[in-house]
DNA sequence: TAAAACATAATTGTCGACAATATTTGACTT
DNA sequence: AAGTCAAATATTGTCGACAATTATGTTTTA
């Protein structure tokens, strides 16, 4: 899909490893990160490890205190709410700019993506598939269409990991797969029509509904 | 004003030093960063320096390529435009949440800040003062009032330095100090009234006007 | 003369060791 | 027995050195 990962240094690989481990919960949320322990476990020097930890801090997956060390962030409903509010603002703007800047080719790809997701969700376990990759995929592509490089970096590199972490660890499979897909369709049509104002409005509504859904699921744990 | 800077390690200090140097243009935009040179100049080991550079990368002041090194970002009109668009979305949301969450005390402080800025701009060179610190100050405080910690970090720690860099190096003194102060006043009143919808709208308009002003000044350099 | 290939120099990446700080352990006092 | 202080231990911060990669400059060749 995207360009193949170019050669990367040890710190990059270590960052990728830790990133997955934190997102999936293999390294527990709220736990302390021990440099000697991890450095031995990953067969990496502390220097490379520390650089990796620095990047984890940059994308908000860990917090660091001087002379004390790094901790994986703790998940909370409040924090998740804040992230959704930021996404509403940022992805709303992304949708607006996508309507202004997306090429014909990109719009075609958006339609294809939507169709692909529709087919996938008809299969068994489609809901889960959609929840874990499909939805983020759609949002990712809309952001790309904005052609706003700062926005792409902010959402794609900084907030993306956080969102995935919450999906993995908080993530009950959503009951609103069908409505979400329909809302995606509306957004795409507004983008295709070049109506930035409408695209922003629809995207914001979509994210707000998604947020409300998650929040009620969390505050009333049913299982 | 804010809490006094607590004890910090060498990497922190080095980051602060480089941050200023880059923002003010002492280290020229687009120039390459030589680790041996800087490490000797600042009397700091390369390890500490590299950690500082990592943080510069995190707040987008430098870009890094594997095995090649770090470069200070290049300033461009396009990039500045993108930053303003992100600020419009993010600070609009901040104003909305400030209207919902700000305490009476914080609102009083906003009024005091506005009054202070009004007085300052009546003095000689007030326009320059306002341009370089006052305006950012107001926006900073509104963001604080949102009580959204993620938003505060994103705007305050990540985007703040970038904005200052553009102000310093692109920054002709604005001709719209008075209108800007008036717009600030409107935003504060909406926040005080608890009208989030209006506060967001007013803040977005304010930032958009500020953006348009800068953009025309840049594309028609008058001096 | 221009371009390719090689050798040299400089820069970034990686590592282990030492110093400074924080945490734990344990003895001692009240 | 509980609390406090001090020594001991472990963790983070900092450094200089070596390895790998990239940039430079020279020579060789078409």
């Amino acid at each position: 899909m995207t360009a193949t990962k170019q050669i990367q240094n040890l710190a990059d690989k270590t960052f990728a490893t830790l990133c997955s481990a934190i997102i999936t919960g293999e390294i527990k949320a709220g736990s302390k990160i021990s440099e000697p322990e991890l450095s031995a476990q990953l067969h990496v020097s502390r220097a490379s490890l520390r650089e990796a930890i620095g990047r984890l801090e940059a994308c908000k997956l860990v917090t660091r205190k001087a002379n004390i060390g790094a901790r994986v962030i703790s998940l909370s409903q409040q924090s998740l709410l804040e992230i959704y509010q930021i996404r509403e603002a940022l992805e709303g703007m992304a949708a607006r700019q996508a309507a202004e800047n997306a090429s014909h080719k990109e719009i075609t790809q958006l339609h294809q993506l939507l169709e692909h997701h529709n087919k996938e969700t008809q299969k068994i376990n489609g809901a889960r598939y959609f929840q874990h990759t499909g939805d983020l995929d759609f949002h990712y592509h809309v952001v790309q269409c904005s052609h706003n490089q700062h926005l792409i970096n902010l959402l794609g590199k900084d907030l993306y990991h956080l969102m995935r972490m919450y999906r993995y660890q908080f993530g009950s499979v959503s009951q609103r797969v069908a409505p979400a897909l329909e809302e995606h369709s509306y957004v795409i049509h507004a983008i295709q029509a070049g109506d930035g104002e409408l695209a922003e409005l629809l995207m914001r509504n979509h994210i707000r509904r998604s947020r409300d859904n998650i929040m009620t699921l969390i505050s009333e744990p049913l299982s």
Side-chain angles (χ1 to χ4, degrees), chain A residues 85-139:
Chain A
Q85 289 166 330
I86 291 172
R87 280 189 61 198
E88 180 185 329
L90 246 28
E91 294 196 28
M93 178 58 76
R96 174 187 287 265
Q97 296 184 226
E100 296 166 355
N101 302 329
S103 67
H104 293 294
K105 185 177 167 191
E106 286 172 322
I107 291 176
T108 303
Q109 287 174 339
L110 279 180
H111 275 115
Q112 288 170 348
L113 185 66
L114 180 67
E115 199 167 348
H116 176 65
H117 288 160
N118 273 321
K119 280 180 190 157
E120 283 292 338
T121 49
Q122 285 164 11
K123 299 179 186 173
I124 200 71
N125 261 349
R128 182 162 203 89
Y129 157 81
F130 180 75
Q131 172 77 2
H132 271 171
T133 73
D135 188 44
L136 282 180
D137 238 33
F138 168 75
H139 289 269

Side-chain angles (χ1 to χ4, degrees), chain A residues 15 19 23 59 61 157-165:
Chain A
F15 167 76
C19 209
I23 287 174
C59 60
L61 290 179
K157 293 203 166 76
D158 292 352
L159 278 176
Y160 181 71
H161 300 298
L162 259 183
M163 294 189 266
R164 286 219 308 152
M165 182 171 178

